């Protein structure tokens, strides 16, 4: 008889698998709504997955309505949480990290892109996001310390209410509050089995415990497809995509209130991080890497750095940001995006009753998790969701070829 089978079974009304930002926003909102017997199972430590490796950007500048709505709500959620925690000093909890609301600045140097961006900005403004269109001269006048090369710039978009924060610290703060409100959070607890009988979830198992539970939420980020297999679902389309970030020494002369600056042509982006400069550049995977990702091969989850990216960063800097020439690297790391075919999340029920999806944020999970959690909790408690129809994000859409529209800004 195994150690797990020998130990006394425990119970949970809702079991959240994963200890990242999706789990944190879910656990926190469930607890705030007074829903009890919630358990979070994280296989390593809280925020050890993608969220602990993320940039922490909160931007509402997207090209399609759904992304804008998710991001707009996400940003307001974090602002409310920060304010609430600051007010609740009696809990003696460490306050959450500050939100650096310095905006996001997209620099655009392609005429066709610039025309498209103007359309996206009109859409953002219709949805309540105050994005502005700037001429190259206005960009130089507002941030002279950036010392931009502007010859080939068509213009820029700037949303002053965008910004960034520390995503791992935010995850820990949310789960810390959830814990104080009664949620059980177990670290070093990988879910290794999900028991399903007569089409319904019955229990989950970790090496330490067997948890009887009618509801399991798959919030395992880039590993979501592997977790779904434990419940007998073999076609959850969530694939890992490696992304790299570089922490560099501060560059003198850059403005203190530096927005997240994004050079749209190359994808180069940077912002301050505790006195250093955090720099990233999305690179394309090779055909072999793409095939490994679609096959969920072990190599696709590898976090070894691709050395070519640093050279691409230096090239992009040389073209646009002479002030950043000679950037001195402190350290670099890789993390995984969790891509779906239409780059929108997968939320809600599956054919296994009681097994719900909360995954597939395609690199936008920090921004999008708060509204995703709200939709799921609405669904769990009332059978439908209020802000948006959760059925839009069903797993079934991929099986039926009803993909959602999505347009990348980068
Ligand atoms: C370099 C980089 C930059 C990014 N920048 C941004 C950004 O600026 N803004 C933004 O919105 N998003 C950004 N993202 C994306 C964001 O980090 C993800 O979308 C987000 O973390 C997804 O949250 P999650 O909770 O679903 O997954 P994760 O944060 O990955 O958490 C999933 C957790 O599940 C755990 N787990 C896996 N399998 C099991 C199991 N069997 N049992 C128990 N636990 C398990 C993992 O250990 C992990 O801790 C970035 C990502 C990367 C890599």
């Amino acid at each position: 008889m195994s150690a797990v089978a020998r130990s006394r079974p425990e119970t949970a009304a809702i079991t959240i698998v994963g200890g990242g930002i999706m789990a944190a926003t879910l656990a926190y909102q469930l607890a705030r709504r007074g829903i009890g017997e919630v358990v979070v199972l994280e296989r390593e430590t809280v925020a050890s997955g993608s969220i602990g490796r993320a940039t922490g950007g909160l931007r509402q500048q997207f090209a399609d309505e759904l992304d804008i709505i998710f991001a707009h709500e996400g940003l307001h959620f974090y602002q409310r949480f920060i304010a609430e925690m600051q007010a609740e000093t009696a809990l003696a909890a460490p306050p959450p990290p500050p939100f650096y609301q310095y905006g996001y600045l997209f620099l655009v140097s392609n005429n066709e892109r610039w025309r498209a961006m103007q359309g996206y900005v009109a859409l953002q403004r219709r949805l309540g996001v105050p994005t502005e269109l700037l001429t190259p001269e206005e960009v130089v006048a507002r941030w002279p310390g950036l010392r931009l090369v502007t010859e080939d710039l068509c213009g820029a978009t700037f949303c002053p209410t965008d910004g960034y924060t520390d995503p791992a610290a935010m995850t820990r703060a949310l789960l810390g509050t959830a814990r104080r409100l009664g949620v059980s959070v177990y670290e070093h607890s990988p879910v290794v089995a999900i028991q399903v009988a007569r089409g319904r979830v019955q229990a989950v198992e970790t090496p330490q415990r067997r948890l009887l539970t009618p509801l399991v939420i798959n919030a395992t980020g880039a590993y979501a497809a592997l977790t779904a297999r434990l419940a007998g679902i073999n076609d959850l389309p969530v694939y890992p995509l490696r992304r790299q970030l570089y922490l560099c020494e501060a560059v003198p002369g850059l403005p203190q209130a530096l927005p997240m600056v994004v050079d749209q042509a190359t994808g180069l982006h940077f912002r301050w991080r505790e006195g250093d400069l955090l720099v990233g550049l999305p690179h394309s995977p090779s055909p072999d890497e793409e095939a490994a990702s679609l096959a969920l091969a072990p190599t696709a989850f590898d976090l070894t750095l691709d050395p070519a990216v640093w050279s691409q960063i230096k090239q992009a800097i040389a073209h646009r940001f002479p002030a950043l020439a000679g950037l001195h690297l402190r350290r670099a790391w890789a993390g995984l995006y969790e891509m779906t075919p239409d780059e929108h999340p997968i939320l809600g029920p599956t054919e296994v009753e009681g097994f719900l999806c909360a995954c597939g944020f395609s690199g936008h999970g920090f921004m999008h998790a708060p509204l995703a959690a709200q939709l799921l909790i609405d669904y769990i408690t009332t059978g439908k969701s209020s802000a948006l129809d959760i059925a839009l994000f069903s797993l079934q859409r991929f099986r039926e070829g009803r993909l959602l529209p999505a347009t990348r800004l980068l």
Side-chain angles (χ1 to χ4, degrees):
M1 193 187 265
S2 77
V4 169
R6 267 198 312 272
S7 61
R8 198 158 47 90
E10 301 167 38
T11 60
I14 302 178
T15 303
I16 304 171
V17 189
I21 192 63
M22 187 63 241
T25 51
L26 266 170
Y28 167 79
Q29 294 188 51
L30 283 165
R32 277 281 181 234
R33 292 208 205 175
I35 298 168
E37 276 199 79
V38 176
V39 171
V40 174
L41 299 171
E42 161 57 44
R43 70 171 177 192
E44 291 179 23
T45 52
V46 161
S48 59
S50 299
I51 202 63
R53 298 162 175 276
T55 318
L58 297 171
R59 71 162 150 108
Q60 303 150 95
Q61 295 186 62
F62 278 93
D64 65 279
E65 192 164 335
L66 291 175
D67 279 323
I68 298 169
I69 293 171
F70 266 92
H72 192 52
E73 180 46 39
L75 187 144
H76 287 109
F77 168 87
Y78 292 115
Q79 286 183 307
R80 285 194 301 272
F81 175 64
I82 292 170
E84 185 184 288
M85 292 313 289
Q86 281 162 347
E88 288 190 4
T89 44
L91 282 174
F99 175 39
Y100 299 99
Q101 201 162 27
Y102 298 148
Y104 253 72
L105 177 69
F106 280 87
L107 305 167
V108 188
S109 53
N110 169 299
N111 283 323
E112 207 177 310
R113 284 287 190 105
W114 182 230
R115 270 193 299 279
M117 285 295 266
Q118 293 176 54
Y120 306 150
V121 169
L123 176 64
Q124 291 156 22
R125 294 184 71 89
R126 271 204 301 284
L127 293 168
V129 178
T131 313
E132 306 164 37
L133 293 167
L134 301 178
T135 64
E137 295 72 28
E138 286 171 325
V139 177
V140 171
R142 279 205 204 184
W143 299 279
L146 267 181
R147 289 178 40 218
L148 277 184
V149 174
T150 57
E151 274 83 64
D152 60 341
L153 268 196
C154 304
T157 67
F158 177 65
C159 176
T161 57
D162 289 349
Y164 55 85
T165 177
D166 177 338
M170 189 64 84
T171 306
R172 286 191 288 268
L174 283 159
L175 275 174
T177 306
R179 248 185 181 136
R180 282 188 294 282
L181 294 171
V183 173
S184 303
V185 181
Y186 296 108
E187 297 183 302
H188 307 292
S189 298
V191 169
V192 292
I194 299 175
Q195 192 192 333
V196 176
R198 296 173 303 282
R200 279 202 63 94
V201 162
Q202 309 290 327
V204 299
E205 276 187 21
T206 71
Q208 302 86 357
R209 53 179 49 80
R210 176 173 152 78
L211 202 56
L212 300 179
T213 183
L215 206 59
V216 174
I217 305 181
N218 180 2
T220 52
Y223 300 87
L226 303 180
T227 307
R229 284 181 184 172
L230 299 177
I233 297 169
N234 295 318
D235 64 345
L236 188 84
V238 175
Y239 308 105
L241 172 67
R242 192 180 48 194
R243 284 285 173 257
Q244 302 184 183
L245 285 177
Y246 296 81
L247 194 64
C248 303
E249 279 181 14
V251 175
L254 285 185
Q256 183 52 40
L258 181 72
M260 177 85 84
V261 180
V262 187
D263 183 28
Q264 198 189 33
T266 56
L268 178 81
H269 52 280
F270 55 90
R271 66 150 169 106
W272 289 128
R273 184 175 126 155
E274 291 164 9
D276 290 331
L277 204 65
L278 186 63
V279 182
L281 184 137
H283 61 291
S284 303
S286 69
D288 281 354
E289 286 171 330
E290 250 172 320
S293 171
L294 290 175
L296 299 174
T299 52
F301 296 89
D302 184 12
L303 296 180
T304 309
L305 289 168
D306 176 347
V309 180
W310 182 239
S311 322
Q312 292 167 19
I313 287 179
K314 287 203 280 198
Q315 271 175 25
I317 284 174
H319 179 69
R320 177 80 56 217
F321 305 101
L324 271 58
L327 207 57
H328 192 78
L329 183 59
R330 280 193 196 281
R331 67 186 180 93
W333 62 89
L336 298 172
Y337 278 10
E338 64 297 46
M339 306 305 293
T340 66
D342 62 7
E343 302 188 5
H344 286 289
I346 308 176
L347 305 175
T350 62
E351 63 270 32
V352 175
E353 216 179 313
F355 185 78
L356 306 189
C357 300
C359 50
F361 293 98
S362 304
H364 304 138
F366 186 45
M367 302 175 244
H368 291 12
L371 180 56
Q374 187 193 316
L375 298 181
L376 272 162
I377 298 170
D378 286 348
Y379 174 77
I380 291 168
T381 53
T382 69
K384 51 187 190 311
S385 49
S386 49
L388 285 172
D389 182 3
I390 199 169
L392 285 170
F393 306 100
S394 70
L395 166 59
Q396 198 58 21
R397 76 183 188 272
F398 299 107
R399 296 171 175 158
E400 294 170 1
R402 293 182 288 108
L403 273 57
L404 290 166
T407 317
R408 284 189 191 183
L409 281 194
L410 292 174

